[in-house]
Amino acid sequence: MEWCLSMPKVELHAHLNGSIRDSTLLELTEGLIRKGVMDISELEHIIRKYNRSVAEVFKLFDLIHILTTDHTTVTRITKEVIEDFATENVVYLELRTTPKRNDSVGMTKRSYVEAVLKGLRSITSVEVDFIPHCEDSKSLFSSLPPIGHVRKRIYVRLLLSIDRRETAEAAMETVKLALEMRPFGVVGIDLSGNPSIGDWTTYLPALKFAREQGLYVTLHCGEVPNSEEIKNMLDFRPQRIGHACHLEDEHWRQLKSSKIPVEICLTSNIRTLTIRSIHVHHFGDLYKAKHPLVLCTDDSGVFSTSLTEEYKYAADSFGLGRREMFELSRNGIEHIFANSQVKEDLRNFFNSVAKKYG
Ligand code: 6MZ
């Protein structure tokens, strides 16, 4: 399925710290062990495991965060993650990350995001568009010679995540930061973190404020069974939701009538045992119902996957062919949070290569 790799793709659900290259993670871990800063024996069994439960995945994130809490590392991983997505022929990436404060290295939420932006600016091997332009400025795909003649091109937009461990005030701080950072490509807010922790209503004032101010909102919804939360999240009508695993019949009805697009993360859901088998994954039902969907990686590093692999997995598991997968990828454009000029540029680009996948 070489075409899964060459096909242009849209990635809308990727967590920065979950998408770190294995080699980089290993290098960072070894560095800290050498310095005697950390002892990973307690976590070794989790690192070595193939399938990790949701709780174990979040222990792993705590470890990753110990490794990536300085500006230089944040800049480095951002650069590498974007290069890796571009290598996969991802032409539009919405990368999400939780702004973090780390007093010991003078890191504020703002300087964290600035380190991410520095990573974006430092990329030279790929054409990156991350600053939103005015409607009549040049577009990434139409302004350059046909693809193949120049370096790979990728639009990158950022979502700032609120972690379910944070306070209402910290969440509001993240939303205000997102508003300040809009000129640098921040387009929305994500609510994520361990789904078994906290009460999402803590973040409602911040999420409502974000929406009032014109930021897009996507919520991790239904990663664990929680009927009331799922209903209330759907009532909130976010612009997209991620996962949607543990919905009950009434939620499915509500979701389908609302047409809220779903970010589907197949490997993540199977590896964390959130869904017991790919054959009963709700992708099948939603795809048949023509519900708006986007295939995504979630955490390509943590789950050893890639967007190409996710497309192959869906094609193999649900008997879909090249044409159908291309259409699925192309339809993703309609659910991105960037402006109409970016959408139009992507539509034209997909049209220009469509016959290869017909
Ligand atoms: C919920 C997840 C997640 O923000 O530090 N995150 N939240 N469900 C998931 N499914 C497995 N995968 C990742 O990236 C890592 C953070 O993203 C969220 C968690 O809060 C995790 O700590 P950043 O770049």
Side-chain angles (χ1 to χ4, degrees), residues 18-45:
S19 309
I20 304 172
R21 285 179 192 163
D22 279 350
S23 55
T24 300
L25 212 49
L26 205 64
E27 189 189 315
L28 296 170
T29 312
E30 283 167 359
L32 287 198
I33 293 172
R34 235 180 292 119
K35 283 189 207 151
V37 176
M38 69 188 296
D39 169 12
I40 57 159
S41 51
E42 196 196 317
L43 286 166
E44 211 163 347
H45 73 287

Side-chain angles (χ1 to χ4, degrees), residues 70 111 182 214 217:
D70 64 273
S111 72
R182 266 209 283 211
V217 175

Side-chain angles (χ1 to χ4, degrees), residues 132-139 341:
H133 305 280
C134 56
E135 295 288 330
D136 58 354
S137 65
K138 286 249 161 73
S139 305
Q341 186 203 1

Side-chain angles (χ1 to χ4, degrees), residues 23-133:
S23 55
T24 300
L25 212 49
L26 205 64
E27 189 189 315
L28 296 170
T29 312
E30 283 167 359
L32 287 198
I33 293 172
R34 235 180 292 119
K35 283 189 207 151
V37 176
M38 69 188 296
D39 169 12
I40 57 159
S41 51
E42 196 196 317
L43 286 166
E44 211 163 347
H45 73 287
I46 297 178
I47 296 171
R48 292 190 191 287
K49 261 179 130 173
Y50 185 67
N51 287 336
R52 303 178 187 104
S53 68
V54 175
E56 286 171 336
V57 163
F58 283 95
K59 277 197 183 151
L60 191 58
F61 278 125
D62 287 342
L63 169 69
I64 292 173
H65 288 146
I66 296 171
L67 301 171
T68 61
T69 41
D70 64 273
H71 296 105
T72 313
T73 308
V74 171
T75 298
R76 170 185 175 175
I77 62 171
T78 305
K79 176 176 181 282
E80 292 180 350
V81 165
I82 291 164
E83 286 170 346
D84 291 349
F85 275 111
T87 305
E88 294 271 314
N89 292 306
V90 170
V91 291
Y92 178 92
L93 164 66
E94 259 166 42
L95 186 63
R96 56 185 76 189
T97 192
T98 322
K100 297 165 192 79
R101 216 180 110 177
N102 180 3
D103 294 340
S104 67
V105 293
M107 182 186 276
T108 60
K109 283 191 172 191
R110 192 190 168 93
S111 72
Y112 176 93
V113 176
E114 281 165 352
V116 169
L117 293 171
K118 193 169 169 195
L120 274 156
R121 285 197 196 94
S122 69
I123 299 170
T124 52
S125 58
V126 182
E127 294 288 334
V128 184
D129 174 304
F130 67 97
I131 304 269
H133 305 280

Side-chain angles (χ1 to χ4, degrees), residues 227-247:
S227 189
E228 195 185 332
E229 176 173 293
I230 294 167
K231 183 185 180 309
N232 291 340
M233 282 186 168
L234 294 174
D235 284 344
F236 178 74
R237 286 192 162 257
Q239 275 94 0
R240 294 197 308 253
I241 57 169
H243 297 291
C245 298
H246 290 280
L247 276 58

Side-chain angles (χ1 to χ4, degrees), residues 15-17 58 61 65 97-98 100 192-193 220 223 298-299:
H15 298 270
L16 174 62
N17 277 279
F58 283 95
F61 278 125
H65 288 146
T97 192
T98 322
K100 297 165 192 79
S192 53
H220 279 61
E223 241 183 322
D298 202 9
D299 299 292

